[in-house]
Amino acid sequence: MRYCLLSPARLTPTEEVNPYRVAELQAQILQAGCWTVPITAQKDALFVMDGHHRLTVAHRLGFAAVPVILLDYGTVRVESWRAGETITPACIFAMARSGRKFPCKTTRHIFDQGLPSCHVPLESLRRVDPVDHMLASAPRAWS
């Protein structure tokens, strides 16, 4: 399983974020000087499965690209972090299409395979050469 580099603008968040966690994560990423955990996104619609806080950091830092692993619900299970609440892929698609977002930490995506880490210098995310990094520009599956 490999990651690709995508523009953060292509990804659709489906959950709100905790601003304190965003600030904390931004400080960690800047201190490390590299991006180490790819965002996971649904491969066709490009909505975020896991990594909403990282996506917000990427937007705040003005990155041209972020590492993303593209997956589908054939290999990813989803449940709710909230007791008694049921979340399905259909619920997530509907939320993404509506332009609204679930509250922070509503969906929990469970990956059957371990996800790879990465080590991408932040400077290379600020200005990406599409020839070197295959910056994806796949159209959304829905509009």
Side-chain angles (χ1 to χ4, degrees), residues 5-13 41-42 44-48 55 59 64 135-142:
L5 295 178
L6 290 175
S7 166
R10 301 292 301 151
L11 301 174
T12 301
Q42 198 283 335
D44 298 315
L46 297 179
F47 57 78
V48 175
L55 177 60
H59 283 297
L135 183 63
S137 59
R140 293 187 191 277
W142 48 268

Side-chain angles (χ1 to χ4, degrees), residues 17-29:
V17 296
N18 177 325
Y20 299 105
R21 177 66 184 130
V22 170
E24 179 182 82
L25 186 58
Q26 180 173 325
Q28 290 172 356
I29 289 170

